[in-house]
Amino acid sequence: MIRRCWILLIVLALLTPLGMLAEGTAWGEWGADDLTAVVGYVPQGIEQADSWWKAVFPDYSLKFIGEGEAAGKIGYLLSAGIGAGLIYLLMTVYTRLVVGRRTLPVPEKKG
């Protein structure tokens, strides 16, 4: 089962450049300008965060890759891999620190 989940995760990560084929912006990746264009206003919290939040890889671009369509696809793939890796790392740490300390009760033997 775990192997199938890993294969699914890798396939999904490899499919991330398909987002470059879509027109417009990706849902959930909207900035203040995009929100204004779509819904007509910017919620106060997003407006405040817009001044201090800077994406680690803005527009999935990595300076060491360069620019262009191929660089964009590689940036998508690297972003997917880095994001999946960070989530795996956080879940591993959480599992070992929090869940690993809990022990299941051992059923008593009768007889």
Side-chain angles (χ1 to χ4, degrees), residues 16-81:
T16 55
L18 288 176
M20 297 180 77
L21 299 175
E23 292 184 19
T25 59
W27 187 89
E29 294 183 359
W30 296 338
D33 295 338
D34 299 319
L35 278 172
T36 302
V38 174
V39 296
Y41 74 100
V42 178
Q44 185 180 4
I46 291 179
E47 190 174 334
Q48 291 172 349
D50 199 42
S51 63
W52 58 266
W53 172 255
K54 303 298 176 204
V56 178
F57 305 124
D59 296 328
Y60 302 102
S61 62
L62 305 171
K63 291 182 180 179
F64 64 90
I65 295 175
E67 295 181 8
E69 187 175 336
K73 291 175 182 173
I74 292 170
Y76 259 62
L77 290 172
L78 287 176
S79 296

